[in-house]
Amino acid sequence: MMIDTSVIAGENQTRAGSLERDYETLGERLDRRGIAIDAIKAKVAAYGVAIPSWGVGTGGTRFARFPGKGEPRNIFDKLEDCSVIQQLTRATPDVSLHIPWDKADPSELREKAGALGLGFDAMNSNTFQDQPGQDQNRQPLSYKFGSLSHTDPATRQQAIEHNLECIEIGKAIGSKALTVWVGDGSNFPGQSHFARQFDHYMKSAQEIYANLPDDWRLFTEHKMYEPAFYSTVVQDWGSNYMIARELGDRAYCLVDLGHHAPNVNIEMIVSRLIQFGKLGGFHFNDSKYGDDDLDTGSIDPYRLFLVFNELVDAEMRRVPGFNPAHMLDQSHNVTDPVESLMVSAMEVQRAYAQALLVDRDKLTGYQQDNDALMATTTLKTAFRTDVEPILAMARQETGGAVDPVATYRSAGYRQKVAAVRPAVTGAGGGIV
């Protein structure tokens, strides 16, 4: 179910005059800084961030889940929601699947995505929870005490085979990467032997990596805590870097913005991973206290900009092999997930556009002269620039909506899908 293009055209028409004036005014301001606005617009229009299939459903907490109207019933409903996000923002061409949540016939997945104009990004395995009531023959063993690092070899092998299954599904639908995140760890001192546990993980990861297609990449993801609260097997970027280095050239580190301790300098971590050729990609979101999975840019948009400042710096320097994957990873508890994902995709584009405005020559000069004030002022000049006319014009020229959220609401998409998708309850809740 797509949004009628006439609705998009009508909404855009009402905003066309104001947008053109705003774009022209911003272009004049940027021209005085030696920046060609059309060049920035072209880069923004070519930029895309992948949508997480799980993100279009209402998330949950440890206490409850409050589903909204028209919740997707299956992966095919999820793809329809994802297609609307792409239709309106023109910033989300690919979808990242999570197995077994999204398990379906690969040919049907590919056919549905193709009909909706979508592709597939990295596959995501799930060995951080058991799958009660479904396919028990495939998972006879529990992940309560770990998966790839479990003390039991049979449980480790089960987790390995699940990841290999994800690769096979991904090959059939055109994916080129596997993201592995495990909740393995411990909740009490002495519960686990740190070295043996990490050794189990490494040997499991090596077996997965050995079965990776030649044109695929493996992304391993670190997380400081949760669901394990005393120790986590892949707890930080240092452990993640060691894993990627030991596995091989096609193994990379994935950075989730919410998976770090408060006040950690994430942009410096990004720089280090770029410098040593191991930055694989991102799960964009935002956080206040921990892994909150809040909408991207909703809490600390300046940090998001600083991350993109490092990415654009690497892009401008043409760092060999630099090709990070960009994905959203969010949980929406009180908003319409489609709206949140649209806003987040635009916030990522905004940070990218702002980072493109940084005067690199001046910044380098100030850094060389140890002029701290002018160096940071150079960054803030770019960050404070309202680039919305660039984003909106890029959307309009590529067939998207000048104002995606307003157009989405005007089209009544949520009400339409609610009429055909059965209502669901929040009973049971669960951790997301």
Side-chain angles (χ1 to χ4, degrees), residues 98-103 124-144 158 162 165:
H98 214 299
I99 305 298
W101 298 342
D102 300 324
K103 191 174 179 179
N124 298 265
S125 60
N126 181 338
T127 63
F128 54 83
Q129 65 178 183
D130 294 338
Q131 306 299 322
Q134 64 178 50
D135 205 7
Q136 285 297 312
N137 291 329
R138 188 187 62 80
Q139 191 190 320
L141 303 172
S142 174
Y143 295 131
K144 179 177 181 179
Q158 175 181 274
H162 168 64
E165 178 190 31

PDB file of all heavy atoms in Angstrom, residues 98-103 124-144 158 162 165:
ATOM      1  N   HIS A  98      15.901  -9.013  10.164  1.00  0.00           N
ATOM      2  CA  HIS A  98      16.288  -9.681  11.407  1.00  0.00           C
ATOM      3  C   HIS A  98      15.678 -11.083  11.384  1.00  0.00           C
ATOM      4  O   HIS A  98      14.469 -11.239  11.283  1.00  0.00           O
ATOM      5  CB  HIS A  98      15.749  -8.889  12.608  1.00  0.00           C
ATOM      6  CG  HIS A  98      16.637  -8.921  13.802  1.00  0.00           C
ATOM      7  ND1 HIS A  98      16.968 -10.082  14.454  1.00  0.00           N
ATOM      8  CD2 HIS A  98      17.268  -7.926  14.476  1.00  0.00           C
ATOM      9  CE1 HIS A  98      17.760  -9.802  15.485  1.00  0.00           C
ATOM     10  NE2 HIS A  98      17.966  -8.508  15.506  1.00  0.00           N
ATOM     11  N   ILE A  99      16.557 -12.081  11.474  1.00  0.00           N
ATOM     12  CA  ILE A  99      16.116 -13.469  11.426  1.00  0.00           C
ATOM     13  C   ILE A  99      16.217 -14.083  12.828  1.00  0.00           C
ATOM     14  O   ILE A  99      17.230 -13.880  13.498  1.00  0.00           O
ATOM     15  CB  ILE A  99      16.986 -14.282  10.437  1.00  0.00           C
ATOM     16  CG1 ILE A  99      16.985 -13.610   9.056  1.00  0.00           C
ATOM     17  CG2 ILE A  99      16.522 -15.730  10.326  1.00  0.00           C
ATOM     18  CD1 ILE A  99      15.635 -13.511   8.397  1.00  0.00           C
ATOM     19  N   PRO A 100      15.202 -14.790  13.332  1.00  0.00           N
ATOM     20  CA  PRO A 100      14.078 -15.369  12.605  1.00  0.00           C
ATOM     21  C   PRO A 100      12.826 -14.500  12.527  1.00  0.00           C
ATOM     22  O   PRO A 100      11.823 -14.939  11.971  1.00  0.00           O
ATOM     23  CB  PRO A 100      13.779 -16.642  13.410  1.00  0.00           C
ATOM     24  CG  PRO A 100      14.106 -16.266  14.809  1.00  0.00           C
ATOM     25  CD  PRO A 100      15.295 -15.349  14.703  1.00  0.00           C
ATOM     26  N   TRP A 101      12.856 -13.285  13.086  1.00  0.00           N
ATOM     27  CA  TRP A 101      11.646 -12.452  13.060  1.00  0.00           C
ATOM     28  C   TRP A 101      11.091 -12.292  11.653  1.00  0.00           C
ATOM     29  O   TRP A 101       9.877 -12.288  11.458  1.00  0.00           O
ATOM     30  CB  TRP A 101      11.945 -11.071  13.644  1.00  0.00           C
ATOM     31  CG  TRP A 101      12.381 -11.048  15.069  1.00  0.00           C
ATOM     32  CD1 TRP A 101      12.215 -12.042  16.003  1.00  0.00           C
ATOM     33  CD2 TRP A 101      13.064  -9.986  15.747  1.00  0.00           C
ATOM     34  NE1 TRP A 101      12.755 -11.662  17.209  1.00  0.00           N
ATOM     35  CE2 TRP A 101      13.282 -10.396  17.083  1.00  0.00           C
ATOM     36  CE3 TRP A 101      13.513  -8.732  15.352  1.00  0.00           C
ATOM     37  CZ2 TRP A 101      13.927  -9.596  18.029  1.00  0.00           C
ATOM     38  CZ3 TRP A 101      14.153  -7.931  16.280  1.00  0.00           C
ATOM     39  CH2 TRP A 101      14.355  -8.354  17.607  1.00  0.00           C
ATOM     40  N   ASP A 102      11.980 -12.141  10.678  1.00  0.00           N
ATOM     41  CA  ASP A 102      11.555 -11.829   9.310  1.00  0.00           C
ATOM     42  C   ASP A 102      11.697 -13.012   8.358  1.00  0.00           C
ATOM     43  O   ASP A 102      11.736 -12.834   7.144  1.00  0.00           O
ATOM     44  CB  ASP A 102      12.371 -10.652   8.767  1.00  0.00           C
ATOM     45  CG  ASP A 102      12.207  -9.395   9.603  1.00  0.00           C
ATOM     46  OD1 ASP A 102      11.092  -9.164  10.097  1.00  0.00           O
ATOM     47  OD2 ASP A 102      13.199  -8.661   9.779  1.00  0.00           O
ATOM     48  N   LYS A 103      11.804 -14.200   8.906  1.00  0.00           N
ATOM     49  CA  LYS A 103      12.030 -15.367   8.060  1.00  0.00           C
ATOM     50  C   LYS A 103      10.837 -15.638   7.164  1.00  0.00           C
ATOM     51  O   LYS A 103       9.694 -15.700   7.622  1.00  0.00           O
ATOM     52  CB  LYS A 103      12.324 -16.592   8.922  1.00  0.00           C
ATOM     53  CG  LYS A 103      12.822 -17.795   8.130  1.00  0.00           C
ATOM     54  CD  LYS A 103      13.243 -18.919   9.058  1.00  0.00           C
ATOM     55  CE  LYS A 103      13.724 -20.128   8.267  1.00  0.00           C
ATOM     56  NZ  LYS A 103      14.151 -21.233   9.172  1.00  0.00           N
ATOM     57  N   ASN A 124      20.653  -9.557   9.989  1.00  0.00           N
ATOM     58  CA  ASN A 124      20.902  -9.532  11.428  1.00  0.00           C
ATOM     59  C   ASN A 124      20.478 -10.857  12.045  1.00  0.00           C
ATOM     60  O   ASN A 124      19.328 -11.284  11.882  1.00  0.00           O
ATOM     61  CB  ASN A 124      20.109  -8.395  12.090  1.00  0.00           C
ATOM     62  CG  ASN A 124      20.518  -7.031  11.581  1.00  0.00           C
ATOM     63  OD1 ASN A 124      21.350  -6.356  12.162  1.00  0.00           O
ATOM     64  ND2 ASN A 124      19.927  -6.615  10.464  1.00  0.00           N
ATOM     65  N   SER A 125      21.405 -11.513  12.723  1.00  0.00           N
ATOM     66  CA  SER A 125      21.078 -12.777  13.380  1.00  0.00           C
ATOM     67  C   SER A 125      20.550 -12.505  14.783  1.00  0.00           C
ATOM     68  O   SER A 125      20.759 -11.431  15.347  1.00  0.00           O
ATOM     69  CB  SER A 125      22.318 -13.672  13.446  1.00  0.00           C
ATOM     70  OG  SER A 125      23.362 -13.045  14.170  1.00  0.00           O
ATOM     71  N   ASN A 126      19.868 -13.507  15.356  1.00  0.00           N
ATOM     72  CA  ASN A 126      19.297 -13.355  16.687  1.00  0.00           C
ATOM     73  C   ASN A 126      19.603 -14.584  17.520  1.00  0.00           C
ATOM     74  O   ASN A 126      18.943 -15.616  17.395  1.00  0.00           O
ATOM     75  CB  ASN A 126      17.789 -13.137  16.588  1.00  0.00           C
ATOM     76  CG  ASN A 126      17.136 -12.943  17.951  1.00  0.00           C
ATOM     77  OD1 ASN A 126      17.668 -13.348  18.974  1.00  0.00           O
ATOM     78  ND2 ASN A 126      15.965 -12.342  17.964  1.00  0.00           N
ATOM     79  N   THR A 127      20.622 -14.475  18.362  1.00  0.00           N
ATOM     80  CA  THR A 127      20.904 -15.521  19.344  1.00  0.00           C
ATOM     81  C   THR A 127      20.872 -14.935  20.749  1.00  0.00           C
ATOM     82  O   THR A 127      21.483 -15.472  21.665  1.00  0.00           O
ATOM     83  CB  THR A 127      22.278 -16.176  19.073  1.00  0.00           C
ATOM     84  OG1 THR A 127      23.314 -15.203  19.216  1.00  0.00           O
ATOM     85  CG2 THR A 127      22.333 -16.792  17.684  1.00  0.00           C
ATOM     86  N   PHE A 128      20.158 -13.821  20.890  1.00  0.00           N
ATOM     87  CA  PHE A 128      20.057 -13.186  22.206  1.00  0.00           C
ATOM     88  C   PHE A 128      18.727 -13.492  22.884  1.00  0.00           C
ATOM     89  O   PHE A 128      18.463 -13.004  23.975  1.00  0.00           O
ATOM     90  CB  PHE A 128      20.269 -11.669  22.110  1.00  0.00           C
ATOM     91  CG  PHE A 128      19.376 -10.961  21.131  1.00  0.00           C
ATOM     92  CD1 PHE A 128      18.088 -10.591  21.466  1.00  0.00           C
ATOM     93  CD2 PHE A 128      19.848 -10.651  19.865  1.00  0.00           C
ATOM     94  CE1 PHE A 128      17.271  -9.920  20.563  1.00  0.00           C
ATOM     95  CE2 PHE A 128      19.036  -9.983  18.949  1.00  0.00           C
ATOM     96  CZ  PHE A 128      17.745  -9.620  19.305  1.00  0.00           C
ATOM     97  N   GLN A 129      17.888 -14.294  22.220  1.00  0.00           N
ATOM     98  CA  GLN A 129      16.639 -14.700  22.840  1.00  0.00           C
ATOM     99  C   GLN A 129      16.229 -16.056  22.270  1.00  0.00           C
ATOM    100  O   GLN A 129      16.621 -16.417  21.158  1.00  0.00           O
ATOM    101  CB  GLN A 129      15.529 -13.677  22.605  1.00  0.00           C
ATOM    102  CG  GLN A 129      15.130 -13.525  21.165  1.00  0.00           C
ATOM    103  CD  GLN A 129      13.989 -12.551  20.936  1.00  0.00           C
ATOM    104  OE1 GLN A 129      13.543 -12.381  19.829  1.00  0.00           O
ATOM    105  NE2 GLN A 129      13.489 -11.902  21.979  1.00  0.00           N
ATOM    106  N   ASP A 130      15.457 -16.799  23.037  1.00  0.00           N
ATOM    107  CA  ASP A 130      14.910 -18.056  22.550  1.00  0.00           C
ATOM    108  C   ASP A 130      13.655 -17.767  21.742  1.00  0.00           C
ATOM    109  O   ASP A 130      13.067 -16.693  21.847  1.00  0.00           O
ATOM    110  CB  ASP A 130      14.592 -18.991  23.721  1.00  0.00           C
ATOM    111  CG  ASP A 130      15.842 -19.445  24.460  1.00  0.00           C
ATOM    112  OD1 ASP A 130      16.934 -19.404  23.850  1.00  0.00           O
ATOM    113  OD2 ASP A 130      15.738 -19.831  25.639  1.00  0.00           O
ATOM    114  N   GLN A 131      13.234 -18.741  20.963  1.00  0.00           N
ATOM    115  CA  GLN A 131      12.072 -18.568  20.100  1.00  0.00           C
ATOM    116  C   GLN A 131      10.981 -19.555  20.522  1.00  0.00           C
ATOM    117  O   GLN A 131      10.782 -20.592  19.884  1.00  0.00           O
ATOM    118  CB  GLN A 131      12.463 -18.786  18.643  1.00  0.00           C
ATOM    119  CG  GLN A 131      13.627 -17.941  18.165  1.00  0.00           C
ATOM    120  CD  GLN A 131      13.356 -16.453  18.258  1.00  0.00           C
ATOM    121  OE1 GLN A 131      12.243 -16.020  18.007  1.00  0.00           O
ATOM    122  NE2 GLN A 131      14.361 -15.662  18.590  1.00  0.00           N
ATOM    123  N   PRO A 132      10.300 -19.294  21.618  1.00  0.00           N
ATOM    124  CA  PRO A 132       9.293 -20.228  22.114  1.00  0.00           C
ATOM    125  C   PRO A 132       8.123 -20.384  21.156  1.00  0.00           C
ATOM    126  O   PRO A 132       7.654 -19.417  20.560  1.00  0.00           O
ATOM    127  CB  PRO A 132       8.825 -19.590  23.428  1.00  0.00           C
ATOM    128  CG  PRO A 132       9.100 -18.128  23.248  1.00  0.00           C
ATOM    129  CD  PRO A 132      10.354 -18.069  22.435  1.00  0.00           C
ATOM    130  N   GLY A 133       7.690 -21.636  21.009  1.00  0.00           N
ATOM    131  CA  GLY A 133       6.497 -21.876  20.221  1.00  0.00           C
ATOM    132  C   GLY A 133       6.695 -21.880  18.730  1.00  0.00           C
ATOM    133  O   GLY A 133       5.748 -22.030  17.979  1.00  0.00           O
ATOM    134  N   GLN A 134       7.935 -21.704  18.257  1.00  0.00           N
ATOM    135  CA  GLN A 134       8.135 -21.734  16.809  1.00  0.00           C
ATOM    136  C   GLN A 134       9.419 -22.477  16.481  1.00  0.00           C
ATOM    137  O   GLN A 134      10.484 -22.213  17.024  1.00  0.00           O
ATOM    138  CB  GLN A 134       8.160 -20.324  16.212  1.00  0.00           C
ATOM    139  CG  GLN A 134       9.322 -19.455  16.676  1.00  0.00           C
ATOM    140  CD  GLN A 134       9.312 -18.094  16.007  1.00  0.00           C
ATOM    141  OE1 GLN A 134       8.300 -17.433  15.985  1.00  0.00           O
ATOM    142  NE2 GLN A 134      10.435 -17.678  15.472  1.00  0.00           N
ATOM    143  N   ASP A 135       9.300 -23.435  15.613  1.00  0.00           N
ATOM    144  CA  ASP A 135      10.456 -24.141  15.072  1.00  0.00           C
ATOM    145  C   ASP A 135      11.350 -24.695  16.172  1.00  0.00           C
ATOM    146  O   ASP A 135      12.559 -24.505  16.153  1.00  0.00           O
ATOM    147  CB  ASP A 135      11.252 -23.190  14.161  1.00  0.00           C
ATOM    148  CG  ASP A 135      12.056 -23.968  13.123  1.00  0.00           C
ATOM    149  OD1 ASP A 135      11.906 -25.199  13.022  1.00  0.00           O
ATOM    150  OD2 ASP A 135      12.830 -23.308  12.416  1.00  0.00           O
ATOM    151  N   GLN A 136      10.760 -25.402  17.140  1.00  0.00           N
ATOM    152  CA  GLN A 136      11.539 -25.921  18.252  1.00  0.00           C
ATOM    153  C   GLN A 136      12.610 -26.913  17.810  1.00  0.00           C
ATOM    154  O   GLN A 136      13.630 -27.067  18.465  1.00  0.00           O
ATOM    155  CB  GLN A 136      10.598 -26.567  19.275  1.00  0.00           C
ATOM    156  CG  GLN A 136       9.813 -25.566  20.114  1.00  0.00           C
ATOM    157  CD  GLN A 136      10.726 -24.699  20.971  1.00  0.00           C
ATOM    158  OE1 GLN A 136      11.605 -25.197  21.648  1.00  0.00           O
ATOM    159  NE2 GLN A 136      10.530 -23.400  20.914  1.00  0.00           N
ATOM    160  N   ASN A 137      12.371 -27.590  16.689  1.00  0.00           N
ATOM    161  CA  ASN A 137      13.376 -28.522  16.203  1.00  0.00           C
ATOM    162  C   ASN A 137      14.650 -27.797  15.788  1.00  0.00           C
ATOM    163  O   ASN A 137      15.737 -28.377  15.829  1.00  0.00           O
ATOM    164  CB  ASN A 137      12.821 -29.321  15.013  1.00  0.00           C
ATOM    165  CG  ASN A 137      11.725 -30.281  15.439  1.00  0.00           C
ATOM    166  OD1 ASN A 137      11.753 -30.780  16.562  1.00  0.00           O
ATOM    167  ND2 ASN A 137      10.760 -30.513  14.558  1.00  0.00           N
ATOM    168  N   ARG A 138      14.488 -26.534  15.387  1.00  0.00           N
ATOM    169  CA  ARG A 138      15.672 -25.773  14.981  1.00  0.00           C
ATOM    170  C   ARG A 138      16.420 -25.232  16.187  1.00  0.00           C
ATOM    171  O   ARG A 138      17.629 -25.067  16.156  1.00  0.00           O
ATOM    172  CB  ARG A 138      15.255 -24.606  14.071  1.00  0.00           C
ATOM    173  CG  ARG A 138      16.442 -23.874  13.448  1.00  0.00           C
ATOM    174  CD  ARG A 138      15.988 -22.635  12.697  1.00  0.00           C
ATOM    175  NE  ARG A 138      15.354 -21.694  13.585  1.00  0.00           N
ATOM    176  CZ  ARG A 138      16.028 -20.852  14.377  1.00  0.00           C
ATOM    177  NH1 ARG A 138      17.331 -20.864  14.379  1.00  0.00           N
ATOM    178  NH2 ARG A 138      15.392 -20.023  15.158  1.00  0.00           N
ATOM    179  N   GLN A 139      15.719 -24.932  17.273  1.00  0.00           N
ATOM    180  CA  GLN A 139      16.391 -24.416  18.459  1.00  0.00           C
ATOM    181  C   GLN A 139      15.999 -25.225  19.700  1.00  0.00           C
ATOM    182  O   GLN A 139      15.191 -24.784  20.513  1.00  0.00           O
ATOM    183  CB  GLN A 139      16.057 -22.938  18.698  1.00  0.00           C
ATOM    184  CG  GLN A 139      16.954 -22.335  19.775  1.00  0.00           C
ATOM    185  CD  GLN A 139      16.514 -20.963  20.233  1.00  0.00           C
ATOM    186  OE1 GLN A 139      16.098 -20.163  19.422  1.00  0.00           O
ATOM    187  NE2 GLN A 139      16.621 -20.703  21.526  1.00  0.00           N
ATOM    188  N   PRO A 140      16.584 -26.366  19.867  1.00  0.00           N
ATOM    189  CA  PRO A 140      16.275 -27.171  21.056  1.00  0.00           C
ATOM    190  C   PRO A 140      16.982 -26.671  22.307  1.00  0.00           C
ATOM    191  O   PRO A 140      16.587 -27.011  23.420  1.00  0.00           O
ATOM    192  CB  PRO A 140      16.774 -28.569  20.667  1.00  0.00           C
ATOM    193  CG  PRO A 140      17.870 -28.305  19.684  1.00  0.00           C
ATOM    194  CD  PRO A 140      17.440 -27.094  18.916  1.00  0.00           C
ATOM    195  N   LEU A 141      18.025 -25.850  22.140  1.00  0.00           N
ATOM    196  CA  LEU A 141      18.838 -25.405  23.274  1.00  0.00           C
ATOM    197  C   LEU A 141      18.623 -23.920  23.554  1.00  0.00           C
ATOM    198  O   LEU A 141      18.451 -23.126  22.636  1.00  0.00           O
ATOM    199  CB  LEU A 141      20.321 -25.681  23.001  1.00  0.00           C
ATOM    200  CG  LEU A 141      20.657 -27.150  22.690  1.00  0.00           C
ATOM    201  CD1 LEU A 141      22.101 -27.281  22.243  1.00  0.00           C
ATOM    202  CD2 LEU A 141      20.376 -28.032  23.900  1.00  0.00           C
ATOM    203  N   SER A 142      18.682 -23.545  24.817  1.00  0.00           N
ATOM    204  CA  SER A 142      18.400 -22.168  25.228  1.00  0.00           C
ATOM    205  C   SER A 142      19.653 -21.294  25.216  1.00  0.00           C
ATOM    206  O   SER A 142      20.768 -21.759  25.473  1.00  0.00           O
ATOM    207  CB  SER A 142      17.805 -22.166  26.645  1.00  0.00           C
ATOM    208  OG  SER A 142      17.650 -20.838  27.110  1.00  0.00           O
ATOM    209  N   TYR A 143      19.428 -20.004  24.955  1.00  0.00           N
ATOM    210  CA  TYR A 143      20.503 -19.010  24.995  1.00  0.00           C
ATOM    211  C   TYR A 143      20.512 -18.228  26.306  1.00  0.00           C
ATOM    212  O   TYR A 143      21.098 -17.144  26.378  1.00  0.00           O
ATOM    213  CB  TYR A 143      20.355 -18.043  23.820  1.00  0.00           C
ATOM    214  CG  TYR A 143      20.528 -18.696  22.463  1.00  0.00           C
ATOM    215  CD1 TYR A 143      19.603 -18.482  21.450  1.00  0.00           C
ATOM    216  CD2 TYR A 143      21.616 -19.523  22.210  1.00  0.00           C
ATOM    217  CE1 TYR A 143      19.755 -19.072  20.200  1.00  0.00           C
ATOM    218  CE2 TYR A 143      21.782 -20.122  20.973  1.00  0.00           C
ATOM    219  CZ  TYR A 143      20.851 -19.901  19.968  1.00  0.00           C
ATOM    220  OH  TYR A 143      21.016 -20.496  18.747  1.00  0.00           O
ATOM    221  N   LYS A 144      19.868 -18.757  27.320  1.00  0.00           N
ATOM    222  CA  LYS A 144      19.785 -18.055  28.607  1.00  0.00           C
ATOM    223  C   LYS A 144      21.168 -17.706  29.141  1.00  0.00           C
ATOM    224  O   LYS A 144      21.381 -16.619  29.689  1.00  0.00           O
ATOM    225  CB  LYS A 144      19.022 -18.907  29.621  1.00  0.00           C
ATOM    226  CG  LYS A 144      18.900 -18.256  31.006  1.00  0.00           C
ATOM    227  CD  LYS A 144      18.063 -19.112  31.952  1.00  0.00           C
ATOM    228  CE  LYS A 144      17.931 -18.438  33.319  1.00  0.00           C
ATOM    229  NZ  LYS A 144      17.087 -19.249  34.241  1.00  0.00           N
ATOM    230  N   GLN A 158      24.735 -24.532  17.662  1.00  0.00           N
ATOM    231  CA  GLN A 158      23.390 -24.112  17.268  1.00  0.00           C
ATOM    232  C   GLN A 158      23.394 -22.640  16.858  1.00  0.00           C
ATOM    233  O   GLN A 158      22.772 -22.252  15.855  1.00  0.00           O
ATOM    234  CB  GLN A 158      22.433 -24.326  18.434  1.00  0.00           C
ATOM    235  CG  GLN A 158      21.022 -23.818  18.190  1.00  0.00           C
ATOM    236  CD  GLN A 158      20.133 -24.038  19.400  1.00  0.00           C
ATOM    237  OE1 GLN A 158      19.546 -25.092  19.555  1.00  0.00           O
ATOM    238  NE2 GLN A 158      20.038 -23.032  20.265  1.00  0.00           N
ATOM    239  N   HIS A 162      22.717 -20.964  13.105  1.00  0.00           N
ATOM    240  CA  HIS A 162      21.716 -19.916  12.851  1.00  0.00           C
ATOM    241  C   HIS A 162      22.321 -18.781  12.027  1.00  0.00           C
ATOM    242  O   HIS A 162      21.690 -18.275  11.086  1.00  0.00           O
ATOM    243  CB  HIS A 162      21.184 -19.357  14.168  1.00  0.00           C
ATOM    244  CG  HIS A 162      20.371 -18.110  14.009  1.00  0.00           C
ATOM    245  ND1 HIS A 162      19.173 -18.087  13.328  1.00  0.00           N
ATOM    246  CD2 HIS A 162      20.603 -16.829  14.397  1.00  0.00           C
ATOM    247  CE1 HIS A 162      18.696 -16.853  13.313  1.00  0.00           C
ATOM    248  NE2 HIS A 162      19.545 -16.074  13.957  1.00  0.00           N
ATOM    249  N   GLU A 165      22.601 -19.822   8.520  1.00  0.00           N
ATOM    250  CA  GLU A 165      21.293 -19.758   7.882  1.00  0.00           C
ATOM    251  C   GLU A 165      20.989 -18.328   7.431  1.00  0.00           C
ATOM    252  O   GLU A 165      20.452 -18.105   6.333  1.00  0.00           O
ATOM    253  CB  GLU A 165      20.210 -20.240   8.838  1.00  0.00           C
ATOM    254  CG  GLU A 165      18.803 -20.158   8.265  1.00  0.00           C
ATOM    255  CD  GLU A 165      17.721 -20.409   9.292  1.00  0.00           C
ATOM    256  OE1 GLU A 165      17.918 -20.089  10.484  1.00  0.00           O
ATOM    257  OE2 GLU A 165      16.653 -20.916   8.900  1.00  0.00           O
TER     258      GLU A 165
END
